[in-house]
Amino acid sequence: MKVFNEQENDGLSIGWAIEDITPEGPVSLYGQYYERLSEYVESPLKIIAFAIEKREKNEVKEQAIMVSMDLIYTLKPLQDGVKQRIKELITDFDESKLFLNATHTHSAPYPEIESDYGKFLLDQLVKVVVTAWNSRKPAGISNAYQNAVTGFNRRVLYADGTVEMYGATDREDYIGIEGPSDTGVDLLFCWDINKKLTGIIINVSCPAQVTESKYYVSADYWSEVRKQIKKRYGEDVFVLAQCGAAGDISPRDLATGYKTDGANMWEVEGMVEIGKRLVEAVNKGYLVAKYNIQSNVPFKHLVKNIELPTRRVSLEEFEKALTKVQDILSREPNDPNSPDTAWNRFLREIKENEKNKVYGPWDSKTSDFGWLKPQELVIKQYKNQDMDLGYNFELHVIRLGNIAFATNPFELFVDYGFMITGRSKAKQTFIVQFSGDSGGYLPTQRALEGGGYSAMANYIGPTGGKVLVNETVELINSLWDQDVLSI
C-alpha cells in the first residue's frame, strides 16, 4: 500500500529506503590482482535508494530513482535486471529513469548477477527501489557546496616523464604528482513538509579505498559518514553516497611521504578521519541549506545512449608490450607450480610486505607479474581493436533546481570532471562515476604519455573522453537553454 497521496503532491515528492547487502561467511573480496578472503565484517554493506517525482495538477512531470551501493562497480546486467524486475512492481514509474552507482569499496564481493551473491543483491536492489518509490511524500530540497580534504592524486611523476601509481617519493628523480585533486563536496539536502531533514546526497571525488587491501568486509569511510550523520541528525536520516570524477585519486597524500602525524589512510583510523571531515562539511552546508528549502523547482531527467570510440593501441605500444611480455615469460620456470614463477614471487612479496610495511600498497604493479597482466591486455586490445570500435553506455543527466547530476561508468580521471563542471551552466554539477556499467579507467592524454598502471590497458582513451565531456556538457546545458516554466 502506498504512503504517497496523489492529491497532496503538487511539487516534489521524495522517498528513501535502505537495505543490507552484507554477505554471509567468508567471501572473496574484489579489487586486487590477488584473492583476499574475508575474515570478518568490519562494517556492513548497504544500498540506499532515493526516489523523486514532480507533479503538477496531478500530472507526472518527471521522475528519477538513484541507488548507491557499497560495492566496487555497477555492472550493466545488474542495472538492467533491476529495471526489468520493477516494471511490474511499480507500474507508475518509468524504469528507464533509474540508475545505480557504486562507491568503489575494494572490501566487498564482485557483483556478478549470476553468482549466489549477485542473485541476493538483485533481490535486495528490487526491494530497496520499490520501498523508496512507495514511501515518497511531499518534500523540499536545498543544495550546498563545501570543501573537505578526502582524496589526492596517486600518480607519482619522475624526471624522465614516466609515472607510477603509488610510486615512491623518496627517489632522486621524483619531481611531483602528475595531476590535481578535487576537494569539493556537493550536497543535496532533502526535507519533509515540516522542514525536517530526511536525507542527504553527498558527492565527493574520492573512492572508498582506505581498506582496499584488507581481509574484511567494509563499506569503508561511508560507513563512518552514515554513523556520524545518524548521531548528529537522527537515526531516520538517509545518506546516499556518490563518487565524483576520481580515477586517479585515492585517500592518500603521497607528496608528504607519510611523514606527518595524520591518520594512516590504509587503516580504519583513516576511514574515521575522512568520515569526520565529510560530516564537518555537511554541518557547514546544513547551516546554509536549512534556510533555502524549495519544493517547486525545475526538474528534468534525460537519458541518452552514448557511443564512445575505443582507444587505438599503436603498433609501437603493441611491440613494446610484446617485448616486455616475452622477456618476462622467457624467465619463467618450466614448472608452473615453482615458487619462482612471476605469480608466486608476486604473492610472496605481498605476504612479506603485509608483515613488515606500515603503509600500502602491499602488492607491486612494477613487479614482473604486475607488468605482465596489463601488458597482456594491451596485446589483446591491439589484436581485437579493428573488431571493437565503439563502447555504448547509458548517460543520465538530471536538472534539479539549480544543480545537475551527470553519470558515467568509468574511473574518470579528475581533469575530465573539471572540464564538465567548468563548462556546465548548473550552479553545482554532481558527477556520478561507477554508474550503469564498469568502463574501466578513463585517463587523460597526459596520463597515457606517463604510462604506469591505470594508464596502460585502457578501453577508452582521451578521444573517447572528449566525446564524453562534450555529450555530457551539451545535455546539461540544454536543460538551462530551455524555458524554465516548461521544465
Side-chain angles (χ1 to χ4, degrees):
M1 181 177 178
K2 294 183 181 179
V3 177
F4 170 69
N5 184 337
E6 291 183 351
Q7 301 301 321
E8 298 176 357
N9 191 45
D10 269 10
L12 297 177
S13 60
I14 290 174
W16 294 92
I18 186 169
E19 291 293 339
D20 193 278
I21 55 168
T22 309
E24 291 186 5
V27 292
S28 180
L29 303 171
Y30 195 80
Q32 302 293 351
Y33 282 173
Y34 56 100
E35 185 174 46
R36 293 169 296 134
L37 292 177
S38 64
E39 297 170 356
Y40 61 94
V41 175
E42 184 279 325
S43 56
L45 307 179
K46 301 291 183 180
I47 48 175
I48 297 89
F50 165 81
I52 183 168
E53 184 178 56
K54 182 177 181 180
R55 286 177 177 249
E56 289 180 5
K57 297 179 181 179
N58 257 348
E59 181 183 349
V60 175
K61 291 296 183 181
E62 195 54 273
Q63 301 174 322
I65 297 178
M66 309 179 193
V67 185
S68 176
M69 310 181 294
D70 289 333
L71 295 171
I72 190 165
Y73 300 133
T74 303
L75 298 179
K76 188 176 186 298
L78 185 64
Q79 181 165 287
D80 290 346
V82 176
K83 290 181 179 182
Q84 185 63 35
R85 289 266 299 269
I86 66 172
K87 275 185 180 181
E88 297 179 359
L89 298 174
I90 45 176
T91 56
D92 54 344
F93 175 71
D94 177 359
E95 72 277 359
S96 72
K97 299 295 180 77
L98 174 144
F99 65 83
L100 311 179
N101 75 273
T103 63
H104 204 53
T105 178
H106 281 43
S107 301
Y110 190 66
E112 170 57 56
I113 194 170
E114 296 300 329
S115 67
D116 289 341
Y117 181 74
K119 293 172 184 176
F120 160 71
L121 175 61
L122 178 59
D123 287 343
Q124 293 296 85
L125 282 166
V126 171
K127 183 178 179 181
V128 81
V129 167
V130 172
T131 302
W133 183 251
N134 288 342
S135 67
R136 67 202 193 283
K137 298 177 182 178
I141 60 167
S142 53
N143 53 287
Y145 178 89
Q146 294 292 322
N147 285 278
V149 177
T150 56
F152 301 86
N153 194 285
R154 57 181 168 173
R155 289 174 50 85
V156 177
L157 179 63
Y158 299 106
D160 63 356
T162 61
V163 176
E164 288 182 21
M165 190 166 84
Y166 294 130
T169 57
D170 57 356
R171 286 170 39 172
E172 234 178 77
D173 59 343
Y174 162 62
I175 60 172
I177 304 298
E178 181 186 69
S181 56
D182 184 358
T183 62
V185 181
D186 287 296
L187 301 163
L188 181 68
F189 293 85
C190 302
W191 316 81
D192 67 14
I193 56 175
N194 297 314
K195 297 184 178 180
K196 181 182 181 298
L197 186 66
T198 61
I200 313 165
I201 296 177
I202 305 176
N203 186 294
V204 57
S205 291
C206 182
Q209 276 186 255
V210 176
T211 63
E212 66 173 290
S213 299
K214 297 301 184 182
Y215 292 82
Y216 49 67
V217 171
S218 175
D220 213 87
Y221 67 77
W222 286 112
S223 67
E224 289 297 321
V225 173
R226 289 194 287 261
K227 188 186 304 179
Q228 295 177 39
I229 289 291
K230 287 183 179 296
K231 185 176 180 181
R232 171 68 174 81
Y233 295 99
E235 287 291 327
D236 55 349
V237 174
F238 295 85
V239 176
L240 189 143
Q242 294 177 340
C243 185
D248 47 347
I249 303 296
S250 84
R252 292 119 201 168
D253 184 4
L254 301 180
T256 65
Y258 303 118
K259 294 174 183 176
T260 66
D261 294 327
N264 185 340
M265 289 298 169
W266 293 92
E267 300 290 345
V268 169
E269 63 185 85
M271 290 168 36
V272 175
E273 176 61 27
I274 291 180
K276 288 179 181 176
R277 295 176 189 176
L278 284 174
V279 173
E280 286 175 4
V282 169
N283 293 342
K284 291 177 182 177
Y286 177 86
L287 296 176
V288 177
K290 68 179 181 179
Y291 296 111
N292 296 290
I293 303 171
Q294 294 180 291
S295 60
N296 190 14
V297 297
F299 177 25
K300 189 67 177 177
H301 186 172
L302 303 179
V303 185
K304 184 177 181 180
N305 289 319
I306 303 295
E307 181 173 289
L308 303 182
T310 54
R311 187 173 84 83
R312 303 289 292 177
V313 176
S314 69
L315 178 61
E316 181 183 0
E317 285 179 276
F318 166 71
E319 291 177 340
K320 185 177 178 181
L322 190 62
T323 299
K324 187 73 174 179
V325 168
Q326 289 173 341
D327 175 57
I328 294 171
L329 294 180
S330 71
R331 291 184 270 109
E332 285 288 273
N334 292 328
D335 180 3
N337 297 316
S338 167
D340 294 323
T341 63
W343 171 243
N344 285 328
R345 284 185 284 118
F346 177 73
L347 294 179
R348 188 163 62 246
E349 182 182 9
I350 291 169
K351 295 302 180 185
E352 291 171 357
N353 287 339
E354 287 175 338
K355 291 177 182 177
N356 301 317
K357 289 178 64 176
V358 176
Y359 303 103
W362 288 272
D363 65 324
S364 172
K365 297 297 192 293
T366 60
S367 65
D368 277 351
F369 181 79
W371 275 110
L372 186 63
K373 187 175 176 70
Q375 298 290 6
E376 286 178 333
L377 290 173
V378 169
I379 293 168
K380 181 179 179 181
Q381 190 172 344
Y382 177 82
K383 291 180 177 179
N384 295 334
Q385 62 188 1
D386 289 333
M387 299 177 288
D388 193 8
L389 301 177
Y391 171 67
N392 292 279
F393 76 95
E394 184 179 280
L395 170 63
H396 290 252
V397 167
I398 296 173
R399 178 180 179 179
L400 189 55
N402 59 9
I403 70 171
F405 293 88
T407 68
N408 71 84
F410 301 104
E411 293 193 59
L412 192 69
F413 274 42
V414 72
D415 275 329
Y416 290 115
F418 288 141
M419 293 178 204
I420 294 170
T421 56
R423 293 168 56 190
S424 169
K425 291 184 178 181
K427 183 175 181 180
Q428 289 174 239
T429 303
F430 294 56
I431 295 172
V432 188
Q433 69 171 24
F434 303 118
S435 179
D437 197 8
S438 174
Y441 287 104
L442 206 170
T444 60
Q445 184 62 41
R446 172 175 56 189
L448 283 182
E449 290 168 0
Y453 182 80
S454 75
M456 290 167 63
N458 304 103
Y459 192 51
I460 306 297
T463 301
K466 183 178 180 180
V467 175
L468 169 67
V469 169
N470 289 340
E471 289 277 5
T472 303
V473 170
E474 182 179 343
L475 274 188
I476 292 172
N477 289 346
S478 73
L479 298 178
W480 267 259
D481 293 337
Q482 297 180 37
D483 180 359
V484 170
L485 296 177
S486 69
I487 296 177

